[in-house]
Amino acid sequence: MDSSSDFLAQCFYNSLSPDAKPRKAAEDGLNEAANAPNFALAVLRLVGTPTYHEVIRRAAAVNFKNHIRQRWAPDRDSEFNPIPADEKNQIKTLIVTLMVSSSPRVQSQLSEALSLIGKHEFPRAWTSLLPELVDNLRQLASQGNYNYAAINGILGTANSIFKKFRYEYADNDLCIDLKYCLDIFAAPLLEIFLKTAVLIDSAAAAGASAETLKPLFESQRLCCRIFYSLNFQGMPEFFEDHIKEWMTEFGKYLTSTDPAVPDDLRAAVCENIILYMEKGEEAFYPYLNGFAGAVGNLLFNVSRDHTCDRLAVTAIKFLTAVSTSVHHDFFGDNEVVRRICAEIVIPNARLREDDEEMFGMNYIEYVRRDMEGDDLDTRRRIACDLLKGIATKHKQQVTDIVSALIQNLMSSYDANPTENWKDKHCAMYLVVSLASKKLRGIDVLTNEIVNVENFFGRVIVPELQSQDVNAYPMLKAGALKFFTMSRTQLPKDTVINLLPDLARFLGAKSNVVHSYAACCIEKLLQVKDGVGARYTAVDLGSLFIKLLMNNLFNALTLEESEENQYIMKCIMRVIGVAEISRDIADPCCIGLTSILNQVCKNPKNPIFNHYLFESVAVLVRRACDRDVSLIPDFEAMLFPCFEMILAKSVAEFFPYAFQLLAQLVELNQPPISPSYMPVFMLLLEPKLWNANSNVPALVRLLQAFLLKAPQELNQEGRLSQVLGIFAQLVSSPSTEERGFHLLNSVIENLEFPIIAPYMRHIWAVLFTRLKKKETVRFTKSLVIFMSLFLIKHGPANLIDTMNSVKEEADIFKDILNKFWIPKLKLITGHIEVKLVAVASCRLICESPVLLDPAAPRPWGKMLDGIVTLLSKPEEHRVEEEPEMPDVAENVGYTATFVNLYNAGKQEEDPLKCIKDPKQFLAASLSKLSAASPGRFPQIINQNLDAANQSAVMQLCRTYNCPVV
């Protein structure tokens, strides 16, 4: 393929054509040429050739940048070939000079390309870069015409490559790289910063236009961002020596009344002084009060327009950092705090026009910010954080001033509710923000600054009891949010009396209001008193439940709330608490299946969909726990949904459908309905197992069939098909654990004569996989499987089937010494620990292989492992069942497996008859030693450490099982 400059130039020109045919031909030509040697170098040289038109050079620069991104250091599985080392070196030699000499638009593309290269090469593989940047920077600064487009290109590149010092872990290598950069760039940075400051002062004095000053201020902003990167790990010596020069200029930009000074420069200055505050840099302290005053004055005058948000937020953050530091005395003056509250906090806490617009136009985003805490960097949140910061050292002052301000706001509202409703909303927001505190990971309201109960009764309850749910919707939303956040403090009777009002708000036209009502109900039902729920089915009552469920389902018919995730989560929670009788279960199932049929047509909201399936699962579980006669009703209503999901290949719903089917199979008593057999046959089709997202649910469903219909497995070669699935799963580290789950179910539910012909094949698959790739998870699963096999079918069958894999080879002993004994200590989980401990105990007490007097060492080592396993503290070996997790972070738009908490599989204990594995061990050892007096204490002394010897003796004494 031709990669000459003229050919490439023509391709770049045609790639911009409005006509599709030449544009497509040009793109194809460039894609083919990109694979040729020195393509990137040829494009870069074209960019630097002034005889080509600016449009062509700009298109070439964009192509070069993208080529660098794709091919400089491609991922291992990338489709792109990497750029050869020789070509890389030539590019690095040319790019800085070309960038500096290019037009602004081309320069920005080359600067970005240079930064991309720098991420991989700088500094150790590109030691010439920084000296070259500095040489060009000084040369440009010494020229009379001051080419700030080029200067800013260099500074922008430096800013990009220095960002690593903000985010990477401060190990020794990073510190060496930082010192290298400081030694070369710190002085030139200060030089250009001060030189530009002088130019700004002289230009401003001469009446220069804002357009003239713009590149100069941009230069200063870039210098500030580089300052931030180079100081992020701590104040370097050079900056400490020259702190006066830096702080003087920083102060000028914060105190200047010149409207030409851009907000983003001031915000960058604020971030620098916040950095010094947070790092506790002593050299900065002499300047602190001056900056605090300057920032305060700046905030008194900053516009409330959203374009000034970044400046306002960073400036308030600085004052917050001061308020919580040892220098908080700045806020000791009542007048200072009063003015901050009145002129900074209140104005920024008020609703703005864009808040009202978001409330009405984008309710999901509004709820996410306001209720779910995604407003961390908003003016409203940061302003209240400042007040909380001041209160940490000056609590009484803040309490008195805030109380007066809230009273003023409420008086204003009372005087004219129609005009001044935003004052009441501001008062609500202030109280919620100032009283909120994290308690065990949950946002709750405390009385530290404001009396929450008093405010609730005086301000919130009247809003909640208002009969017009559509009047002043933002006030209603504020009241519902307050109710939600104060849920743990409010008396139970107060909450129960307000539940009918919450149910009414589910019918509000505002999406935010009925979403907040659903959130409030859902979170109230999670409140605990000690270990139990505060609100139970008795508190809700059957009549209220019917009304509540009716209102919840009706809310899903309101405009833009057809897939409202907050309402569906509330439905799930209510079903989980309520007493589910037939007259509640039937309409709920009809409502849920109707919604499911709709979302199957076009799944859009993965969180809503997850809570929809959770709702179905909890409905089935709760209703059938109470009345098993409902199972056929659920099957009749849900099977058509499952058939539609499978028929229409709604792939993201496959894992959910299989989990629900497993739940229904497990609820049945054998023999299960013939209607399940088509599903069982479908399970054996290999194509379903190719998608990893299906595997956990498919395994769960197949386990359910093995439990409830094991006889079906021993027909028409189905067991061979199941074992083929097991072999496929166990061959991959990503699915190996699921393969063992399936195999364990086969062993647990089928008699030995049925599985015996297949055991040689099963062991061969496992040993081949073990030889190919040994992982901790695989070996732990193998030990658990061997233990289960031994418990179900005895030590002799275990050893004989393992040794049958290879004649004249004692495979069992090899596996025992290399894997079983060493991995004993790694087993976790209450059932798994008991299973492995009892199986290992039976092995050393019943198997002739372990009891062979000529081989006492394996016996002793295995006993040592058993004792270590059973001696672990409970919290180290028991995996607690978590409460239902929040799924917001776990679900997405692609087909992935997300566990249905409410359809969870109940783990069966294969050793229900043994309550205490320690007692079983002590009794087994006592019985064994009685048959061979004196032998085993000697082995114990030789193979167990002192702690485990003592533990064995203590066990036997505890359970009165002496070792002879």
Side-chain angles (χ1 to χ4, degrees):
M1 169 56 64
D2 186 2
S3 60
S4 67
S5 295
D6 289 342
F7 169 78
L8 292 175
Q10 189 63 48
C11 284
F12 288 126
Y13 180 77
N14 290 341
S15 70
L16 304 172
S17 172
D19 189 347
K21 188 174 180 180
R23 187 173 68 248
K24 178 70 167 58
E27 289 168 355
D28 291 343
L30 289 170
N31 288 335
E32 187 176 347
N35 294 312
N38 295 316
F39 171 79
L41 195 58
V43 174
L44 183 61
R45 285 177 172 147
L46 186 155
V47 171
T49 304
T51 54
Y52 290 115
H53 194 278
E54 169 73 9
V55 170
I56 293 173
R57 294 165 66 197
R58 198 184 309 156
V62 171
N63 179 278
F64 175 77
K65 176 191 69 178
N66 292 331
H67 188 84
I68 293 298
R69 178 181 285 113
Q70 293 167 344
R71 298 176 186 254
W72 193 273
D75 295 333
R76 186 176 299 176
D77 55 350
S78 171
E79 61 181 298
F80 301 108
N81 297 323
I83 298 172
D86 181 62
E87 187 177 356
K88 286 182 177 180
N89 290 332
Q90 293 183 70
I91 289 169
K92 288 191 288 185
T93 301
L94 294 173
I95 190 168
V96 173
T97 302
L98 287 176
M99 181 193 72
V100 170
S101 61
S102 296
S103 63
R105 289 188 176 182
V106 171
Q107 187 180 84
S108 66
Q109 298 298 324
L110 292 182
S111 177
E112 193 173 339
L114 197 156
S115 299
L116 290 169
I117 298 169
K119 285 180 183 178
H120 302 287
E121 305 283 318
F122 180 79
R124 303 192 179 198
W126 197 358
T127 55
S128 64
L129 173 60
L130 213 50
E132 191 174 0
L133 289 175
V134 168
D135 288 344
N136 278 277
L137 185 64
R138 283 178 164 152
Q139 186 177 347
L140 289 164
S142 66
Q143 295 171 357
N145 59 352
Y146 297 113
N147 180 0
Y148 267 87
I151 289 172
N152 290 347
I154 292 172
L155 292 175
T157 300
N159 178 40
S160 179
I161 62 177
F162 291 155
K163 282 181 182 177
K164 63 181 285 187
F165 300 121
R166 305 181 200 175
Y167 310 122
E168 293 185 12
Y169 177 70
D171 57 10
N172 189 56
D173 286 345
L174 191 78
C175 292
I176 292 171
D177 291 350
L178 177 57
K179 184 180 183 307
Y180 167 82
C181 295
L182 286 165
D183 289 345
I184 296 176
F185 206 81
L189 177 68
L190 179 59
E191 289 169 16
I192 193 66
F193 183 69
L194 295 177
K195 182 167 284 192
T196 306
V198 171
L199 288 173
I200 289 172
D201 291 343
S202 60
S209 67
E211 195 61 32
T212 302
L213 290 170
K214 187 176 178 180
L216 302 179
F217 283 130
E218 173 61 12
S219 177
Q220 298 300 73
R221 188 194 70 82
L222 289 168
C223 287
C224 285
R225 300 312 292 147
I226 295 169
F227 177 101
Y228 187 85
S229 296
L230 296 180
N231 282 268
F232 191 84
Q233 303 295 335
M235 186 187 292
E237 185 179 347
F238 179 88
F239 286 89
E240 185 174 350
D241 292 343
H242 295 276
I243 191 167
K244 183 178 180 180
E245 292 103 301
W246 285 105
M247 296 304 116
T248 300
E249 294 304 319
F250 286 173
K252 280 167 54 178
Y253 298 132
L254 293 180
T255 56
S256 173
T257 57
D258 186 349
V261 179
D263 285 349
D264 58 356
L265 171 56
R266 287 181 167 137
V269 169
C270 287
E271 289 186 341
N272 288 341
I273 58 179
I274 290 170
L275 182 67
Y276 274 1
M277 275 301 304
E278 291 176 343
K279 299 290 183 183
E281 300 292 0
E282 291 186 12
F284 173 68
Y285 292 157
Y287 304 92
L288 194 151
N289 281 340
F291 277 116
V295 170
N297 288 328
L298 182 67
L299 284 168
F300 294 145
N301 298 292
V302 73
S303 167
R304 290 191 68 221
D305 190 82
H306 69 89
T307 58
C308 300
D309 282 357
R310 181 164 174 258
L311 171 59
V313 167
T314 52
I316 295 171
K317 279 184 177 180
F318 172 70
L319 292 184
T320 305
V322 176
S323 74
T324 56
S325 75
V326 294
H327 303 278
H328 59 83
D329 287 345
F330 176 80
F331 301 96
D333 186 333
N334 269 0
E335 179 57 26
V336 170
V337 178
R338 187 205 62 76
R339 196 176 176 203
I340 285 173
C341 289
E343 299 184 40
I344 296 177
V345 176
I346 296 295
N348 284 294
R350 284 184 179 279
L351 284 171
R352 294 193 306 191
E353 195 174 307
D354 52 346
D355 294 318
E356 295 181 68
E357 186 177 311
M358 185 185 296
F359 184 92
M361 303 290 289
N362 188 353
Y363 83 92
I364 291 287
E365 180 63 17
Y366 186 91
V367 176
R368 192 172 64 81
R369 285 194 183 188
D370 187 53
M371 182 71 94
E372 298 181 356
D374 270 13
D375 61 341
L376 291 176
D377 275 341
T378 62
R379 284 193 181 198
R380 303 179 78 200
R381 179 69 171 268
I382 295 297
C384 292
D385 285 349
L386 168 60
L387 209 49
K388 288 175 78 172
I390 298 172
T392 59
K393 308 293 184 181
H394 306 278
K395 181 178 177 181
Q396 193 56 52
Q397 283 175 270
V398 171
T399 301
D400 294 343
I401 292 169
V402 167
S403 297
L405 284 171
I406 289 172
Q407 185 59 48
N408 292 341
L409 288 165
M410 290 307 302
S411 297
S412 171
Y413 168 78
D414 291 337
N416 191 342
T418 303
E419 290 295 324
N420 300 332
W421 66 268
K422 289 184 183 179
D423 288 342
K424 183 175 183 179
H425 189 279
C426 184
M428 290 181 185
Y429 186 86
L430 270 178
V431 175
V432 166
S433 299
L434 295 177
S436 66
K437 188 176 184 179
K438 283 280 186 188
L439 190 64
R440 294 188 292 275
I442 300 172
D443 283 317
V444 296
L445 302 185
T446 67
N447 292 316
E448 292 180 8
I449 300 177
V450 182
N451 188 313
V452 172
E453 285 90 350
N454 180 277
F455 189 86
F456 184 82
R458 185 166 52 90
V459 177
I460 303 301
V461 169
E463 206 64 55
L464 294 173
Q465 292 180 336
S466 166
Q467 292 307 298
D468 187 353
V469 296
N470 296 313
Y472 303 106
M474 295 194 83
L475 283 183
K476 299 294 188 293
L480 288 164
K481 177 184 176 182
F482 195 103
F483 191 0
T484 304
M485 294 191 67
S486 57
R487 63 192 179 277
T488 58
Q489 291 99 310
L490 296 175
K492 183 174 179 178
D493 289 345
T494 301
V495 171
I496 290 175
N497 289 335
L498 289 168
L499 285 177
D501 295 304
L502 290 178
R504 282 191 306 108
F505 279 110
L506 292 169
K509 292 178 182 177
S510 165
N511 300 98
V512 174
V513 172
H514 58 244
S515 296
Y516 275 23
C519 284
C520 188
I521 295 167
E522 189 268 328
K523 293 189 183 300
L524 280 169
L525 295 181
Q526 291 189 79
V527 175
K528 295 192 183 321
D529 277 331
V531 294
R534 181 178 296 179
Y535 305 101
T536 64
V538 174
D539 299 313
L540 299 180
S542 60
L543 291 177
F544 177 69
I545 285 295
K546 290 179 182 178
L547 169 70
L548 180 58
M549 294 307 295
N550 183 63
N551 288 4
L552 283 165
F553 279 106
N554 283 342
L556 289 171
T557 66
L558 297 172
E559 188 176 358
E560 293 190 28
S561 276
E562 294 87 355
E563 295 188 19
N564 187 313
Q565 64 204 47
Y566 306 103
I567 294 172
M568 187 53 71
K569 188 176 183 182
C570 185
I571 289 173
M572 174 200 73
R573 196 72 65 191
V574 172
I575 294 172
V577 172
E579 196 70 35
I580 306 297
S581 57
R582 181 179 288 274
D583 57 341
I584 291 175
D586 285 345
C588 282
C589 194
I590 291 169
L592 291 171
T593 51
S594 173
I595 296 166
L596 183 52
N597 287 331
Q598 286 300 312
V599 297
C600 277
K601 296 174 184 177
N602 182 21
K604 292 180 290 188
N605 184 339
I607 298 174
F608 174 85
N609 295 336
H610 180 85
Y611 286 127
L612 170 60
F613 281 101
E614 285 283 9
S615 298
V616 174
V618 72
L619 179 64
V620 170
R621 176 170 61 82
R622 298 271 299 162
C624 295
D625 282 348
R626 192 173 188 271
D627 183 0
V628 294
S629 68
L630 285 169
I631 295 174
D633 295 355
F634 283 122
E635 292 171 344
M637 284 188 271
L638 291 172
F639 267 49
C641 296
F642 300 149
E643 289 167 2
M644 179 168 59
I645 289 169
L646 295 171
K648 293 190 173 183
S649 295
V650 188
E652 53 265 65
F653 287 175
F654 279 10
Y656 292 127
F658 294 139
Q659 287 178 83
L660 289 175
L661 278 164
Q663 183 186 29
L664 288 169
V665 171
E666 288 164 358
L667 286 167
N668 272 272
Q669 292 301 317
I672 63 172
S673 166
S675 60
Y676 284 97
M677 287 314 297
V679 177
F680 181 58
M681 299 309 297
L682 183 69
L683 275 179
L684 302 178
E685 292 186 11
K687 65 179 181 180
L688 264 184
W689 296 84
N690 291 335
N692 278 357
S693 57
N694 291 340
V695 167
L698 288 171
V699 167
R700 165 83 189 283
L701 181 52
L702 200 44
Q703 285 179 295
F705 277 116
L706 283 163
L707 177 67
K708 297 294 182 176
Q711 71 284 350
E712 297 292 342
L713 207 66
N714 197 31
Q715 298 177 25
E716 302 175 8
R718 292 172 191 158
L719 181 54
S720 294
Q721 290 176 280
V722 170
L723 292 176
I725 292 168
F726 145 72
Q728 176 185 335
L729 296 178
V730 87
S731 66
S732 168
S734 64
T735 55
E736 62 190 12
E737 199 168 26
R738 304 293 177 179
F740 274 107
H741 291 170
L742 181 56
L743 183 59
N744 290 346
S745 290
V746 170
I747 297 303
E748 204 163 357
N749 293 293
L750 298 181
E751 297 300 322
F752 185 71
I754 296 174
I755 63 171
Y758 301 93
M759 285 311 303
R760 188 170 183 229
H761 167 72
I762 290 171
W763 290 121
V765 168
L766 291 173
F767 297 154
T768 301
R769 168 68 174 81
L770 188 62
K771 187 175 181 181
K772 183 179 179 182
K773 187 175 180 63
E774 176 190 334
T775 65
V776 172
R777 184 168 54 193
F778 182 90
T779 51
K780 284 170 64 177
S781 297
L782 179 62
V783 170
I784 292 168
F785 165 69
M786 293 187 294
S787 300
L788 180 65
F789 187 99
L790 184 148
I791 294 298
K792 288 293 179 181
H793 305 301
N797 284 331
L798 173 71
I799 295 168
D800 290 346
T801 56
M802 288 177 73
N803 286 335
S804 70
V805 175
K806 195 172 182 180
E807 294 181 9
E808 300 179 1
D810 201 339
I811 293 178
F812 171 75
K813 280 187 179 179
D814 198 35
I815 296 293
L816 180 78
N817 291 317
K818 288 183 180 178
F819 299 104
W820 193 324
I821 294 174
K823 302 302 179 185
L824 259 180
K825 305 167 188 178
L826 302 179
I827 305 302
T828 56
H830 178 76
I831 293 175
E832 290 84 354
V833 165
K834 182 167 78 168
L835 173 68
V836 172
V838 170
S840 301
C841 182
R842 283 189 59 186
L843 199 57
I844 63 174
C845 293
E846 298 177 24
S847 170
V849 175
L850 271 295
L851 291 170
D852 184 355
R857 185 170 175 79
W859 190 95
K861 289 296 179 185
M862 178 158 265
L863 177 60
D864 187 60
I866 298 168
V867 174
T868 300
L869 178 63
L870 294 178
S871 299
K872 283 183 184 178
E874 206 64 19
E875 64 269 20
H876 289 170
R877 57 188 177 87
V878 177
E879 296 173 348
E880 294 183 3
E881 179 66 26
E883 292 189 11
M884 181 178 174
D886 195 322
V887 301
E889 300 300 321
N890 300 329
V891 298
Y893 291 97
T894 56
T896 56
F897 176 77
V898 182
N899 186 53
L900 280 178
Y901 176 86
N902 288 297
K905 183 176 182 289
Q906 187 68 38
E907 291 297 327
E908 290 292 326
D909 183 355
L911 291 168
K912 293 190 184 81
C913 57
I914 298 174
K915 302 299 181 186
D916 186 350
K918 292 181 181 179
Q919 184 178 22
F920 182 84
L921 173 62
S924 299
L925 289 176
S926 180
K927 182 179 178 182
L928 185 63
S929 68
S932 303
R935 177 184 171 209
F936 294 102
Q938 182 181 358
I939 300 175
I940 290 171
N941 292 335
Q942 290 173 348
N943 292 283
L944 275 66
D945 60 33
N948 281 352
Q949 289 177 35
S950 175
V952 169
M953 295 301 115
Q954 183 60 45
L955 269 179
C956 293
R957 284 194 296 271
T958 299
Y959 296 105
N960 196 25
C961 299
V963 174
V964 181

